[in-house]
Amino acid sequence: MAKRRKRNAKVTRYRKPINFNVGMLIFGIIFVYVVVYVAAYVTKEHVVVYEVKSGSLAKNHSYTGFAVREENVINATKSGYVNYYAREGEKTGANNIVYTIDESGTLSSTLAENGVTDVEPDAEELQSLRNEIMNFSSSFTKESFSDVYDFKYSFDSSVLKVVGLSMMNQIEALSGESGTSFERGVAAASGIVEYYTDGYENVTVEEVTSEMLDKSNYQKTILKNNELVSQGDPVYKMITSEQWYIVIEISEETASQLSEKSSVNLIFKRDGIKAKADLELVTKDGKNFANLSLKNSMIRYASERYIDIELVLSEEEGLKIPVSSVVEKEFYLIPEEYAIVNEDSSQVQFLKEVTLEDGTLSTQLVDAEIYSLTNGEYYVSTDQFEAGDYIDKKDSADKYAIGKKASLIGVYNVNKGYADFKEITKLYENNEYCIVKANSTYGLAVYDHIVLDASAVKDDQIIY
């Protein structure tokens, strides 16, 4: 019986209670959110931001100019082999040794055989050079940094003079022993030594022609060391003045632009150095020339007859922004006399006519976002008003109907995290950048952040 009862007993399956895991649910929600956010970020068109900085743009014209200097060619007084002792392109003082002429052609080998290739100044001469350095060092100030270059040229001349005199003493002793005959050549005046000629040394500014500006047929003769020269041949030339000229040929339009100027800024294209030159306009044979007079920089270009320059015709300074950031936007215009300016916050407000629920007419004080004030009219957003709205003048029966529109050029400022239009005033632009007025009432300031591509955003779009 017991067995039968056991066989017929009803067995009920045990149902395991559902264990709700809150942590897994929260993790799942966070996971889905992260996936959706990452997918949205990847597919979203990213807005690139540009930081506004101060800068300048110049409208330049490039030219190849013809250099005119005070150049004196020194010729050999006798035939022989020439040897140089002054450095080319550097200033040397009067009476400093520049070259010697060896009639026999054995001076160079005699010097080498007797070790007279490197000359060391004696103790007295070295002390003189030290004193020159110490005197300059003791009087030097940061405010007179440009004096360093003058000192460099002066000191180089002193060194060359010391070395030249020392070498000459040894040369004279050796020539006496070996029977070598030579002639020394000293500088008659201080100046820049150059070892080349080109036939234009005596050309004046007035004599420069359009044909001379064509350098395709230019020939330059290099005067080489230890080379045989005849009596009357050029051995070197001396540039004796820092005053020099660059002559360029210009168009009629450029001549008109420069007609009221007495000076002009230029840039040397070789090294980007800027300079200011006095300007003289000349017309010869129906062609326009500009004579640019300079009192510096000559030594850097003493070895060049043709010099590439950029003439800075105009230059504007302000805030430099990309052209791609500029956008045009339309606004409603409201006369200035209809505005009410809050004395505490300087907020501009207008009395806008509104119709109440009971059909009666009333006025509402509306805060307006101002984008510009030009010619006595406020530029306000078209989102704040509609065409046909009326603005009442305070303490007057006069009213103004909204409807007149005008456009402004500007950029989208994102300092507040959304695209906020700001008016700009262009001063100058090229293909890539424009210079705009800084610190205008409704405009930009240095270090503002703007949208690089204005076409990629809309008004009030959230950026961050």
Side-chain angles (χ1 to χ4, degrees):
M1 291 293 293
K3 290 182 178 180
R4 190 178 300 156
R5 189 181 295 116
K6 185 176 180 181
R7 189 182 299 122
N8 296 331
K10 187 176 181 181
V11 178
T12 303
R13 182 183 296 274
Y14 175 75
R15 293 184 178 180
K16 187 177 181 181
I18 298 175
N19 186 10
F20 184 73
N21 192 325
V22 178
M24 290 297 294
L25 176 64
I26 295 174
F27 176 79
I29 294 173
I30 293 175
F31 178 77
V32 172
Y33 172 80
V34 170
V35 171
V36 172
Y37 181 83
V38 170
Y41 178 82
V42 171
T43 57
K44 178 182 178 182
E45 184 176 354
H46 298 291
V47 177
V48 180
V49 175
Y50 175 86
E51 184 178 78
V52 177
K53 298 179 182 179
S54 295
S56 63
L57 286 179
K59 186 177 181 180
N60 301 345
H61 286 190
S62 295
Y63 299 93
T64 297
F66 184 92
V68 178
R69 315 176 186 89
E70 290 187 14
E71 303 173 62
N72 298 321
V73 177
I74 310 301
N75 297 320
T77 56
K78 61 191 305 185
S79 300
Y81 291 86
V82 63
N83 291 274
Y84 296 114
Y85 301 93
R87 295 181 182 176
E88 184 175 22
E90 294 191 3
K91 193 170 186 178
T92 189
N95 297 319
N96 285 356
I97 183 68
V98 177
Y99 72 97
T100 60
I101 289 183
D102 170 25
E103 290 183 291
S104 63
T106 60
L107 180 59
S108 295
S109 58
T110 303
L111 293 176
E113 290 172 2
N114 289 273
V116 190
T117 53
D118 295 317
V119 177
E120 294 186 6
D122 59 29
E124 184 178 348
E125 292 167 338
L126 283 174
Q127 187 58 46
S128 174
L129 295 175
R130 291 193 189 100
N131 290 340
E132 192 170 344
I133 295 173
M134 292 175 63
N135 290 335
F136 174 77
S137 178
S138 62
S139 61
F140 173 76
T141 61
K142 293 180 180 179
E143 290 74 18
S144 59
F145 181 77
S146 60
D147 293 343
V148 171
Y149 298 101
D150 293 335
F151 172 72
K152 175 183 178 298
Y153 300 139
S154 175
F155 187 73
D156 284 346
S157 296
S158 299
V159 172
L160 286 171
K161 183 176 181 180
V162 168
V163 171
L165 290 175
S166 297
M167 184 173 286
M168 280 299 100
N169 293 333
Q170 297 188 48
I171 289 174
E172 288 174 346
L174 289 172
S175 62
E177 296 174 3
S178 61
T180 302
S181 175
F182 75 96
E183 179 179 287
R184 67 168 70 186
V186 297
S190 62
I192 310 300
V193 175
E194 289 292 335
Y195 298 126
Y196 78 92
T197 61
D198 58 10
Y200 290 127
E201 283 78 15
N202 296 321
V203 172
T204 64
V205 174
E206 294 76 19
E207 294 171 341
V208 176
T209 64
S210 182
E211 290 73 20
M212 291 181 184
L213 292 172
D214 180 10
K215 63 178 181 180
S216 59
N217 296 321
Y218 177 68
Q219 293 184 345
K220 186 176 183 179
T221 302
I222 305 300
L223 306 175
K224 299 177 181 179
N225 192 52
N226 200 30
E227 194 170 67
L228 180 64
V229 297
S230 300
Q231 183 178 357
D233 287 348
V235 286
Y236 75 96
K237 69 178 176 182
M238 181 76 78
I239 303 173
T240 56
S241 174
E242 280 289 332
Q243 178 81 35
W244 64 304
Y245 298 87
I246 300 176
V247 181
I248 58 176
E249 185 176 343
I250 58 177
S251 66
E252 190 71 37
E253 180 184 357
T254 303
S256 178
Q257 287 180 271
L258 297 174
S259 61
E260 301 298 325
K261 294 180 178 291
S262 60
S263 63
V264 66
N265 292 320
L266 58 88
I267 300 173
F268 292 98
K269 295 179 70 173
R270 189 185 75 183
D271 47 22
I273 298 296
K274 296 181 179 181
K276 185 175 184 179
D278 292 334
L279 172 67
E280 180 188 17
L281 299 179
V282 178
T283 301
K284 291 184 288 189
D285 300 325
K287 297 180 179 180
N288 298 296
F289 297 86
N291 299 334
L292 308 176
S293 173
L294 299 102
K295 296 180 180 178
N296 53 40
S297 306
M298 186 275 295
I299 193 170
R300 292 202 305 272
Y301 312 103
S303 62
E304 301 175 32
R305 181 64 64 189
Y306 294 93
I307 302 174
D308 294 327
I309 63 171
E310 288 184 1
L311 211 58
V312 182
L313 298 183
S314 62
E315 186 171 14
E316 295 288 350
E317 295 184 354
L319 302 179
K320 188 175 182 180
I321 64 173
V323 171
S324 61
S325 296
V326 180
V327 66
E328 186 174 353
K329 184 178 178 181
E330 197 173 50
F331 298 89
Y332 284 128
L333 301 184
I334 302 178
E336 185 179 6
E337 59 264 26
Y338 284 84
I340 301 170
V341 181
N342 188 300
E343 295 181 358
D344 296 328
S345 63
S346 299
Q347 172 68 53
V348 176
Q349 302 170 315
F350 294 102
L351 281 173
K352 177 184 176 183
E353 288 189 356
V354 295
T355 303
L356 302 179
E357 292 182 359
D358 59 4
T360 59
L361 195 64
S362 181
T363 58
Q364 178 184 8
L365 199 59
V366 178
D367 291 344
E369 186 173 0
I370 304 301
Y371 292 88
S372 180
L373 175 59
T374 305
N375 298 326
E377 293 180 306
Y378 281 111
Y379 285 68
V380 298
S381 174
T382 55
D383 296 332
Q384 291 185 285
F385 300 95
E386 293 182 3
D389 286 346
Y390 281 93
I391 303 297
D392 291 353
K393 184 185 290 187
K394 184 179 180 182
D395 301 328
S396 173
D398 294 343
K399 59 179 61 181
Y400 175 78
I402 297 290
K404 184 180 179 181
K405 289 183 176 182
S407 296
L408 293 174
I409 58 170
V411 297
Y412 285 118
N413 186 309
V414 296
N415 290 351
K416 298 177 182 179
Y418 63 91
D420 183 21
F421 182 89
K422 293 292 183 182
E423 177 199 15
I424 61 172
T425 301
K426 289 184 182 180
L427 301 177
Y428 178 72
E429 74 173 304
N430 57 24
N431 293 333
E432 297 181 359
Y433 292 94
C434 60
I435 298 297
V436 303
K437 187 177 180 180
N439 300 319
S440 57
T441 304
Y442 302 101
L444 295 175
V446 179
Y447 306 125
D448 278 349
H449 290 81
I450 62 175
V451 176
L452 180 62
D453 182 5
S455 64
V457 300
K458 298 179 180 179
D459 290 329
D460 300 324
Q461 177 178 328
I462 302 298
I463 303 300
Y464 300 119

